[in-house]
Amino acid sequence: MHLLIPAAGSGRRMGSQRNKLLLSLLGKPLLSWTLAAAEASRQISWIGIMGQKEDFPDFQAILADLSLTKPVELIQGGATRQESVYNGLRALPTEADRVLIHDGARCLATPDLFDRSAEALLTCQGLIVAIPVKDTIKVVDAAKIVQETPDRSNLWAAQTPQGFEVKLLKKCHEEGREKGWEVTDDAALFEKCGLPVQIVEGEETNLKVTTPVDLSVAEFILRQRS
Ligand code: CTP
Ligand code: MG
């Protein structure tokens, strides 16, 4: 199974001067934890990393340090996550008919999660890893007045990996570009095109490192594991 890792962000909400994926997490760059999990997965056979050109030397250093057994390609990222994934899709080897996409910032995903996602993708067109929402979610208007409380039993928090048939996802991205759709995950494009997205049970610890608090929580979880 081919894996694309969007890693071309700037980490604005982290408030750091550089791409948050290069920040240190228990003495190793955040991205190297993500890559180590992908390397340990039985199902992943090829890894593409979308990054900004200025980060490539740091990415190369991470790869040299990990000395992965799987082929890895660095791909030019875009201005948005959506654009980065689109570039990744176009850089896939021609034999790739299905692809998993996993945010570099979700550095706690386990090899088992990659394996379960890859196996599930053999029997569906599109999937996302997700977990049931724990909080009660409110829909709020611009004046911060609550408009609605959706039934929590129908709500799932989307994570990555997300997986798709390559041809279909490419088509969705192209339609999205034509119509100016702006989305924060690939499943949203699939949904907008009327295609089915299957849920795969995610992991509670599979958080996306977004803010400095997340970095501390991630460090705590990794310490518990070791
Ligand atoms: N990403 C990407 N290309 C972009 C923007 C984001 O590949 N132009 C990647 C990030 O590197 C990250 C993933 O998409 O692995 C999820 O994005 P997010 O957590 O929002 O990361 P950033 O965009 O870096 O953070 P922020 O939104 O706080 O700036
Ligand atoms: Mg972002």
PDB file of all heavy atoms in Angstrom, residues 131-138 149-157 204:
ATOM      1  N   ILE A 131     -12.975   8.434  15.649  1.00  0.00           N
ATOM      2  CA  ILE A 131     -13.415   7.938  16.964  1.00  0.00           C
ATOM      3  C   ILE A 131     -14.686   8.674  17.384  1.00  0.00           C
ATOM      4  O   ILE A 131     -14.908   9.825  16.988  1.00  0.00           O
ATOM      5  CB  ILE A 131     -12.331   8.105  18.058  1.00  0.00           C
ATOM      6  CG1 ILE A 131     -11.854   9.551  18.156  1.00  0.00           C
ATOM      7  CG2 ILE A 131     -11.141   7.188  17.792  1.00  0.00           C
ATOM      8  CD1 ILE A 131     -10.989   9.830  19.369  1.00  0.00           C
ATOM      9  N   PRO A 132     -15.534   8.015  18.188  1.00  0.00           N
ATOM     10  CA  PRO A 132     -16.749   8.683  18.657  1.00  0.00           C
ATOM     11  C   PRO A 132     -16.370   9.940  19.449  1.00  0.00           C
ATOM     12  O   PRO A 132     -15.391   9.934  20.185  1.00  0.00           O
ATOM     13  CB  PRO A 132     -17.405   7.651  19.582  1.00  0.00           C
ATOM     14  CG  PRO A 132     -16.794   6.340  19.211  1.00  0.00           C
ATOM     15  CD  PRO A 132     -15.412   6.639  18.707  1.00  0.00           C
ATOM     16  N   VAL A 133     -17.143  10.993  19.270  1.00  0.00           N
ATOM     17  CA  VAL A 133     -16.887  12.257  19.970  1.00  0.00           C
ATOM     18  C   VAL A 133     -17.215  12.092  21.457  1.00  0.00           C
ATOM     19  O   VAL A 133     -18.224  11.486  21.807  1.00  0.00           O
ATOM     20  CB  VAL A 133     -17.747  13.367  19.316  1.00  0.00           C
ATOM     21  CG1 VAL A 133     -17.824  14.589  20.191  1.00  0.00           C
ATOM     22  CG2 VAL A 133     -17.186  13.725  17.945  1.00  0.00           C
ATOM     23  N   LYS A 134     -16.334  12.600  22.321  1.00  0.00           N
ATOM     24  CA  LYS A 134     -16.563  12.490  23.768  1.00  0.00           C
ATOM     25  C   LYS A 134     -17.305  13.696  24.318  1.00  0.00           C
ATOM     26  O   LYS A 134     -18.098  13.580  25.239  1.00  0.00           O
ATOM     27  CB  LYS A 134     -15.216  12.339  24.499  1.00  0.00           C
ATOM     28  CG  LYS A 134     -14.544  10.995  24.251  1.00  0.00           C
ATOM     29  CD  LYS A 134     -13.267  10.857  25.055  1.00  0.00           C
ATOM     30  CE  LYS A 134     -12.123  11.624  24.407  1.00  0.00           C
ATOM     31  NZ  LYS A 134     -10.830  11.381  25.084  1.00  0.00           N
ATOM     32  N   ASP A 135     -17.024  14.877  23.776  1.00  0.00           N
ATOM     33  CA  ASP A 135     -17.693  16.096  24.246  1.00  0.00           C
ATOM     34  C   ASP A 135     -19.046  16.252  23.577  1.00  0.00           C
ATOM     35  O   ASP A 135     -19.276  15.727  22.487  1.00  0.00           O
ATOM     36  CB  ASP A 135     -16.843  17.323  23.897  1.00  0.00           C
ATOM     37  CG  ASP A 135     -15.518  17.336  24.633  1.00  0.00           C
ATOM     38  OD1 ASP A 135     -15.520  17.093  25.859  1.00  0.00           O
ATOM     39  OD2 ASP A 135     -14.490  17.581  23.984  1.00  0.00           O
ATOM     40  N   THR A 136     -19.914  17.000  24.218  1.00  0.00           N
ATOM     41  CA  THR A 136     -21.142  17.429  23.544  1.00  0.00           C
ATOM     42  C   THR A 136     -20.776  18.607  22.642  1.00  0.00           C
ATOM     43  O   THR A 136     -20.115  19.549  23.078  1.00  0.00           O
ATOM     44  CB  THR A 136     -22.196  17.859  24.585  1.00  0.00           C
ATOM     45  OG1 THR A 136     -22.525  16.711  25.352  1.00  0.00           O
ATOM     46  CG2 THR A 136     -23.445  18.421  23.921  1.00  0.00           C
ATOM     47  N   ILE A 137     -21.162  18.515  21.361  1.00  0.00           N
ATOM     48  CA  ILE A 137     -20.765  19.533  20.377  1.00  0.00           C
ATOM     49  C   ILE A 137     -21.916  20.511  20.157  1.00  0.00           C
ATOM     50  O   ILE A 137     -23.070  20.106  20.029  1.00  0.00           O
ATOM     51  CB  ILE A 137     -20.391  18.860  19.029  1.00  0.00           C
ATOM     52  CG1 ILE A 137     -19.292  17.806  19.231  1.00  0.00           C
ATOM     53  CG2 ILE A 137     -19.987  19.906  17.996  1.00  0.00           C
ATOM     54  CD1 ILE A 137     -17.918  18.325  19.561  1.00  0.00           C
ATOM     55  N   LYS A 138     -21.604  21.797  20.125  1.00  0.00           N
ATOM     56  CA  LYS A 138     -22.602  22.848  19.887  1.00  0.00           C
ATOM     57  C   LYS A 138     -22.364  23.517  18.542  1.00  0.00           C
ATOM     58  O   LYS A 138     -21.209  23.775  18.172  1.00  0.00           O
ATOM     59  CB  LYS A 138     -22.505  23.926  20.979  1.00  0.00           C
ATOM     60  CG  LYS A 138     -22.667  23.415  22.399  1.00  0.00           C
ATOM     61  CD  LYS A 138     -24.101  23.032  22.683  1.00  0.00           C
ATOM     62  CE  LYS A 138     -24.238  22.538  24.132  1.00  0.00           C
ATOM     63  NZ  LYS A 138     -25.602  22.089  24.433  1.00  0.00           N
ATOM     64  N   THR A 149     -27.731  21.591  19.190  1.00  0.00           N
ATOM     65  CA  THR A 149     -26.900  20.554  19.819  1.00  0.00           C
ATOM     66  C   THR A 149     -27.137  19.244  19.079  1.00  0.00           C
ATOM     67  O   THR A 149     -28.116  18.551  19.342  1.00  0.00           O
ATOM     68  CB  THR A 149     -27.274  20.396  21.311  1.00  0.00           C
ATOM     69  OG1 THR A 149     -27.148  21.666  21.944  1.00  0.00           O
ATOM     70  CG2 THR A 149     -26.357  19.396  21.994  1.00  0.00           C
ATOM     71  N   PRO A 150     -26.252  18.909  18.129  1.00  0.00           N
ATOM     72  CA  PRO A 150     -26.456  17.661  17.377  1.00  0.00           C
ATOM     73  C   PRO A 150     -26.350  16.449  18.306  1.00  0.00           C
ATOM     74  O   PRO A 150     -25.599  16.485  19.283  1.00  0.00           O
ATOM     75  CB  PRO A 150     -25.312  17.651  16.355  1.00  0.00           C
ATOM     76  CG  PRO A 150     -24.599  18.950  16.475  1.00  0.00           C
ATOM     77  CD  PRO A 150     -25.013  19.610  17.739  1.00  0.00           C
ATOM     78  N   ASP A 151     -27.091  15.418  17.976  1.00  0.00           N
ATOM     79  CA  ASP A 151     -27.085  14.179  18.753  1.00  0.00           C
ATOM     80  C   ASP A 151     -25.675  13.567  18.720  1.00  0.00           C
ATOM     81  O   ASP A 151     -25.169  13.212  17.656  1.00  0.00           O
ATOM     82  CB  ASP A 151     -28.106  13.217  18.119  1.00  0.00           C
ATOM     83  CG  ASP A 151     -28.146  11.882  18.841  1.00  0.00           C
ATOM     84  OD1 ASP A 151     -27.413  11.715  19.850  1.00  0.00           O
ATOM     85  OD2 ASP A 151     -28.913  11.008  18.392  1.00  0.00           O
ATOM     86  N   ARG A 152     -25.083  13.466  19.915  1.00  0.00           N
ATOM     87  CA  ARG A 152     -23.691  13.031  19.971  1.00  0.00           C
ATOM     88  C   ARG A 152     -23.478  11.618  19.422  1.00  0.00           C
ATOM     89  O   ARG A 152     -22.391  11.279  18.948  1.00  0.00           O
ATOM     90  CB  ARG A 152     -23.181  13.126  21.416  1.00  0.00           C
ATOM     91  CG  ARG A 152     -21.678  13.010  21.520  1.00  0.00           C
ATOM     92  CD  ARG A 152     -21.183  13.228  22.911  1.00  0.00           C
ATOM     93  NE  ARG A 152     -21.770  12.277  23.824  1.00  0.00           N
ATOM     94  CZ  ARG A 152     -21.770  12.402  25.143  1.00  0.00           C
ATOM     95  NH1 ARG A 152     -21.235  13.457  25.703  1.00  0.00           N
ATOM     96  NH2 ARG A 152     -22.321  11.491  25.907  1.00  0.00           N
ATOM     97  N   SER A 153     -24.514  10.792  19.516  1.00  0.00           N
ATOM     98  CA  SER A 153     -24.319   9.405  19.092  1.00  0.00           C
ATOM     99  C   SER A 153     -24.056   9.295  17.582  1.00  0.00           C
ATOM    100  O   SER A 153     -23.607   8.262  17.101  1.00  0.00           O
ATOM    101  CB  SER A 153     -25.525   8.550  19.489  1.00  0.00           C
ATOM    102  OG  SER A 153     -26.655   9.001  18.787  1.00  0.00           O
ATOM    103  N   ASN A 154     -24.339  10.387  16.832  1.00  0.00           N
ATOM    104  CA  ASN A 154     -24.053  10.377  15.388  1.00  0.00           C
ATOM    105  C   ASN A 154     -22.732  11.049  15.044  1.00  0.00           C
ATOM    106  O   ASN A 154     -22.404  11.185  13.867  1.00  0.00           O
ATOM    107  CB  ASN A 154     -25.147  11.129  14.622  1.00  0.00           C
ATOM    108  CG  ASN A 154     -26.486  10.460  14.763  1.00  0.00           C
ATOM    109  OD1 ASN A 154     -26.560   9.241  14.836  1.00  0.00           O
ATOM    110  ND2 ASN A 154     -27.543  11.247  14.825  1.00  0.00           N
ATOM    111  N   LEU A 155     -22.017  11.525  16.063  1.00  0.00           N
ATOM    112  CA  LEU A 155     -20.827  12.343  15.768  1.00  0.00           C
ATOM    113  C   LEU A 155     -19.536  11.564  15.970  1.00  0.00           C
ATOM    114  O   LEU A 155     -19.337  10.934  17.008  1.00  0.00           O
ATOM    115  CB  LEU A 155     -20.811  13.596  16.661  1.00  0.00           C
ATOM    116  CG  LEU A 155     -21.953  14.583  16.427  1.00  0.00           C
ATOM    117  CD1 LEU A 155     -21.894  15.711  17.448  1.00  0.00           C
ATOM    118  CD2 LEU A 155     -21.891  15.160  15.017  1.00  0.00           C
ATOM    119  N   TRP A 156     -18.676  11.629  14.979  1.00  0.00           N
ATOM    120  CA  TRP A 156     -17.366  10.978  15.031  1.00  0.00           C
ATOM    121  C   TRP A 156     -16.308  12.019  14.703  1.00  0.00           C
ATOM    122  O   TRP A 156     -16.509  12.850  13.813  1.00  0.00           O
ATOM    123  CB  TRP A 156     -17.294   9.830  14.014  1.00  0.00           C
ATOM    124  CG  TRP A 156     -18.135   8.649  14.404  1.00  0.00           C
ATOM    125  CD1 TRP A 156     -19.495   8.599  14.464  1.00  0.00           C
ATOM    126  CD2 TRP A 156     -17.654   7.364  14.818  1.00  0.00           C
ATOM    127  NE1 TRP A 156     -19.890   7.346  14.887  1.00  0.00           N
ATOM    128  CE2 TRP A 156     -18.797   6.567  15.114  1.00  0.00           C
ATOM    129  CE3 TRP A 156     -16.392   6.797  14.965  1.00  0.00           C
ATOM    130  CZ2 TRP A 156     -18.695   5.242  15.539  1.00  0.00           C
ATOM    131  CZ3 TRP A 156     -16.284   5.475  15.381  1.00  0.00           C
ATOM    132  CH2 TRP A 156     -17.438   4.715  15.673  1.00  0.00           C
ATOM    133  N   ALA A 157     -15.195  11.964  15.398  1.00  0.00           N
ATOM    134  CA  ALA A 157     -14.087  12.884  15.130  1.00  0.00           C
ATOM    135  C   ALA A 157     -13.148  12.237  14.115  1.00  0.00           C
ATOM    136  O   ALA A 157     -12.626  11.143  14.349  1.00  0.00           O
ATOM    137  CB  ALA A 157     -13.339  13.185  16.422  1.00  0.00           C
ATOM    138  N   GLU A 204      -7.665   6.614  20.339  1.00  0.00           N
ATOM    139  CA  GLU A 204      -7.834   7.812  21.157  1.00  0.00           C
ATOM    140  C   GLU A 204      -6.522   8.604  21.258  1.00  0.00           C
ATOM    141  O   GLU A 204      -6.522   9.828  21.346  1.00  0.00           O
ATOM    142  CB  GLU A 204      -8.327   7.412  22.551  1.00  0.00           C
ATOM    143  CG  GLU A 204      -8.930   8.564  23.308  1.00  0.00           C
ATOM    144  CD  GLU A 204      -9.542   8.141  24.638  1.00  0.00           C
ATOM    145  OE1 GLU A 204      -9.514   6.943  24.966  1.00  0.00           O
ATOM    146  OE2 GLU A 204     -10.038   9.037  25.345  1.00  0.00           O
TER     147      GLU A 204
END
